[in-house]
């Protein structure tokens, strides 16, 4: 009898040792769409293996998920998922909520978004007067001399009626005001901001940019394309702590919206350094795939020599730096996109592109040779043609 019990005890211990570790979290009673079926046809018809039929539409293909050590270890039925639970498992009844794989945004500017959360939001303002009223209200709440930053007025929709400095300066004379357009290709400022940036009638247009001027040659308060960088350089930069806080705040909002990863397009040296600080301190709320700004030659040369920072797939690895964003031309609204023909309302104007818009062919090519993925901003038909020809020339080397 003692021998029999000894054998049974040993067998129990062996089975316990071989049993898988219980799941840390089990989500059940959900409508789970795994998105694991094949791609739809080119006309949008769902694949044959998709959980879909024409009569009843879409249906979930699972109801539960089990997670262990940061990995999803099971997707399927409630009964199987709950069988993987143990004494310390967090069991969550989702009461029929819909669950889909985490979203990935392939083109974001979360650093700018984080900064914009502290700025005036002009998204959707219908006209110049409404925007100025918002600036007046902000100016009344901060000391004189404080920079007032805003963004979101539609520089595409307003392209035929761009605002000027006169009314803005009259309403808010004692604060430098810088209002970025929704698409980032136009900036509207007042006299105080022009003075702070040292922009006068004698200031030349930068390569690939335009300081709009009146008949006397004075700046109107509207800067286009690469000229917006003049004002960006004049605005006091955030401290490293402020930069980190802004990025984390924006990423947390993305996480709350269901995003698990973002591709941050065109990171400056300061933003790249902030992302590395946050990754080292394990403070990035979601994964970030950083695309270095090709307009920063010092940053680019540093990373070309260093090589990409690739992600290994570990659950706690939140940052990859292995891509580059380059800019070949501008945007349509600001008449900066490079076109094959003249703009219909601007005879002789075909946009700005290539080296005049800050596209460094040799530096972008060196990044590609170093293993970086390069994405090129190209809007106009001429810009796209040139960008494709450039890529072809690099591959032929």
């Amino acid at each position: 009898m003692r021998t029999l019990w000894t054998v049974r005890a040993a067998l129990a211990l062996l089975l316990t040792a071989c049993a898988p570790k219980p799941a840390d979290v089990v989500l059940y009673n959900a409508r789970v769409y795994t998105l694991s079926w094949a791609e739809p046809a080119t006309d949008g018809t769902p694949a044959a293996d998709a959980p879909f039929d024409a009569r009843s539409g879409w249906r979930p293909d699972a109801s539960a998920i089990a997670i262990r050590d940061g990995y999803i270890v099971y997707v399927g039925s409630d009964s199987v998922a709950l069988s993987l639970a143990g004494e310390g498992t967090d069991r969550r009844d989702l009461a029929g909520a819909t669950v889909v794989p985490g979203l990935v945004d392939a083109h974001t500017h979360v650093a700018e978004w984080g900064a914009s959360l502290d700025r005036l939001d002009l998204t959707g303002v219908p006209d110049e007067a409404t925007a100025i009223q918002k600036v007046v209200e902000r100016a009344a709440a901060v000391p004189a001399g404080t920079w007032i930053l805003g963004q979101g007025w539609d520089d595409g929709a307003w392209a035929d009626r761009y605002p000027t400095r006169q009314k803005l300066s009259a309403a808010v004379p004692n604060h430098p005001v810088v209002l970025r357009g929704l698409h980032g290709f136009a900036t509207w400022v007042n006299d105080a901001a022009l003075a702070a940036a040292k922009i006068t009638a004698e200031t030349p247009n930068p390569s690939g940019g335009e300081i709009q001027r009146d008949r006397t040659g004075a700046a109107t308060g509207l800067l286009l394309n690469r000229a917006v960088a003049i004002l960006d350089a004049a605005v006091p930069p955030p401290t490293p702590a402020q930069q980190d806080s802004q990025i984390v705040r924006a990423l947390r909002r993305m996480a709350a919206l269901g995003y698990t990863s973002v591709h941050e397009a065109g990171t400056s040296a300061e933003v790249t350094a902030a992302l590395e600080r946050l990754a080292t301190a394990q403070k990035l709320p979601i994964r970030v795939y950083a695309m270095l700004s090709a307009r920063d030659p010092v940053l680019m040369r540093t990373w070309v020599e260093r090589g990409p920072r690739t992600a290994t797939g570990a659950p706690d690895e939140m940052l990859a730096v292995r891509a580059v964003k380059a800019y070949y031309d501008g945007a349509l609204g600001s008449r900066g996109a490079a076109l094959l023909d003249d703009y219909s309302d601007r005879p002789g104007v075909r946009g700005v592109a290539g080296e005049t818009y800050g596209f460094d062919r040799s530096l972008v090519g060196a990044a590609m040779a170093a293993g970086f993925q390069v994405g090129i901003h190209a809007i106009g038909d001429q810009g796209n043609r040139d960008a494709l020809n450039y890529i072809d020339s690099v591959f032929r080397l």
Side-chain angles (χ1 to χ4, degrees):
M1 180 68 76
R2 181 178 299 172
T3 301
L4 179 60
W5 279 107
T6 301
V7 171
R8 287 178 175 174
L11 181 59
L13 288 171
L14 179 62
L15 291 173
T16 300
C18 294
K21 177 184 173 183
D24 298 316
V25 179
V26 170
L27 310 175
Y28 66 98
N29 189 21
R31 296 174 56 82
V32 180
Y33 294 84
T34 66
L35 304 187
S36 60
W37 49 89
E39 292 292 316
T42 54
D43 65 357
T45 302
D49 62 337
F52 174 89
D53 64 69
R55 176 174 296 180
S56 57
W58 288 94
R59 63 185 182 278
D61 56 333
S63 62
I65 299 172
I67 302 168
R68 182 193 304 124
D69 295 332
Y71 290 94
I72 293 176
V73 295
Y74 175 77
V75 179
S77 68
D78 287 357
S79 58
V80 174
L82 289 168
S83 74
L84 300 175
E87 184 177 345
T89 299
D90 180 3
R91 298 172 175 83
R92 301 191 186 186
D93 183 346
L94 297 190
T98 298
V99 179
V100 297
L103 303 174
V104 177
D105 193 321
H107 189 131
T108 65
H109 300 287
V110 293
E112 292 182 22
W113 186 31
S116 74
L117 296 175
D118 296 324
R119 298 175 181 174
L120 277 177
D121 182 7
L122 302 178
T123 306
V125 294
D127 50 42
E128 181 179 0
T130 306
I132 290 175
Q133 182 57 39
K134 286 181 173 288
V135 177
V136 169
E137 292 169 1
R138 175 62 64 89
V142 297
T146 303
W147 285 76
I148 297 177
L149 309 178
Q151 64 186 67
W153 62 274
D154 199 329
D155 46 332
W158 293 18
D160 294 325
R161 50 185 176 92
Y162 277 143
T164 60
R165 61 183 171 80
Q166 279 83 359
K167 292 180 181 179
L168 182 60
S169 299
V172 187
N174 300 318
H175 301 73
V177 179
V178 178
L179 307 175
R180 288 288 296 270
L182 179 65
H183 308 288
F185 295 97
T187 293
W188 170 28
V189 302
N190 67 349
D191 286 336
L194 288 173
K198 297 181 172 58
I199 295 176
T200 67
E202 287 71 41
T203 303
N205 286 332
S207 175
E210 178 187 359
I211 302 170
Q212 285 207 339
R213 306 173 192 277
D214 61 23
R215 293 180 180 179
T216 70
T220 67
L222 201 288
L223 295 89
L224 300 174
N225 298 309
R226 294 207 72 193
V228 302
I230 301 175
L231 263 299
D232 290 343
V235 175
T239 66
Q242 289 172 330
Q243 184 93 79
D244 293 359
S245 176
Q246 290 169 355
I247 290 173
V248 169
R249 186 179 175 189
L251 290 176
R252 283 177 176 164
R253 291 215 180 177
M254 295 293 289
L257 294 170
Y259 290 89
T260 59
S261 179
V262 297
H263 294 196
E264 180 70 348
T267 60
S268 65
E270 294 76 17
V271 170
T272 305
L275 291 172
E276 290 204 283
R277 283 194 303 270
L278 292 168
T280 300
Q282 297 185 332
K283 290 183 178 179
L284 287 174
I286 59 177
R287 287 177 173 79
V288 177
Y289 181 88
M291 304 165 65
L292 303 168
S293 173
R295 283 180 169 170
D296 188 331
V298 175
L299 173 72
M300 288 295 300
R301 292 190 184 98
T302 298
W303 278 89
V304 165
E305 182 177 349
R306 175 179 173 179
R309 170 178 173 153
T310 57
T312 62
D316 60 347
E317 188 171 30
M318 306 300 281
L319 176 64
V321 185
R322 57 175 302 270
V324 170
K325 181 178 180 181
Y327 298 80
Y328 197 83
D329 68 354
L332 289 165
S334 59
R335 310 304 192 268
L339 303 184
L340 293 168
D341 298 305
D342 294 355
Y343 280 85
S344 61
D345 61 345
R346 297 280 295 275
V349 174
R350 296 192 178 186
V352 291
E355 287 79 3
T356 61
Y357 201 63
F359 187 85
D360 189 323
R361 300 173 67 90
S362 62
L363 200 53
V364 173
M368 294 173 71
F372 287 91
Q373 179 188 39
V374 172
I376 301 177
H377 166 105
I379 300 297
D381 47 9
Q382 182 69 63
N384 275 272
R385 177 180 293 185
D386 291 347
L388 290 171
N389 287 340
Y390 168 76
I391 293 172
D392 183 58
S393 72
V394 174
F395 284 143
R396 283 190 276 107
L397 293 178

